[in-house]
Amino acid sequence: EWEIQTDDNVGAATNVVGETLYVGDNAGNFWAIEAETGDIIWENTAGDDYVGAATWVDGNVVTADRGASAVRLHDAETGDIIWENTAPDIWSPTVSPAEGMVYAGDEGALHAFDLDTGDIEFSIETNDRIIASPTVHDGNVIFADDADAGTIWSADAQTGDVEWEVGADEGVAGSPTVA
């Protein structure tokens, strides 16, 4: 058993890949920790308020930092930031990688970030903030907004062309799941 003292709450879920645990706190610290021993492999303090679980992609880790409204790609071995891009008021707790993109929602849009460069390839305007993680399935990114009468959207994962949208009676605060 082990524990690590953090500077603030850890509101994000952890992600374990192999023997390494990745987690950030609300003060903007992000760690890679040896899961068995609790030894810190690296720490990156460039953030402001990490939300959601970090996502492992091709030997790198993608994070969403709500405080800095940033999506970052970190080298999983060193913690170095490979790229960082901001969008107005990032809310998605977890970014969803697929199709060479990383998808994250903010106060009024879903953004597709190029996984190699961090450039925003497209944005889809919504009725309200996106507070849950988007899901990628069969070439489409599926997501929902949290408006009083929320909407569930499906768009082409490469182009952002909206395939369909369905209204809900209330805001949608959960991530879509495809079975």
Side-chain angles (χ1 to χ4, degrees), residues 1 4 7 27 37 42 52 63 68 74 113 116-117 121 132 141-142 152 162 166 176 178:
E1 292 186 31
I4 293 175
D7 293 336
T37 65
W42 54 259
T63 59
H74 299 263
F113 299 85
D116 292 327
T117 66
E121 294 296 318
V141 57
I142 304 166
I152 303 167
V162 174
V166 175
V178 179

Side-chain angles (χ1 to χ4, degrees), residues 92-164:
S92 290
T94 306
V95 291
S96 300
E99 311 286 335
M101 305 276 198
V102 176
Y103 305 93
D106 72 9
E107 197 62 41
L110 178 83
H111 304 285
F113 299 85
D114 182 284
L115 191 55
D116 292 327
T117 66
D119 294 339
I120 295 177
E121 294 296 318
F122 64 81
S123 298
I124 301 169
E125 302 241 351
T126 61
N127 302 316
D128 202 350
R129 65 186 180 182
I130 299 170
I131 61 173
S133 302
T135 298
V136 179
H137 174 72
D138 201 23
N140 287 336
V141 57
I142 304 166
F143 59 100
D145 66 36
D146 190 38
D148 289 336
T151 303
I152 303 167
W153 312 71
S154 178
D156 184 283
Q158 289 297 305
T159 66
D161 293 336
V162 174
E163 304 278 331
W164 53 261

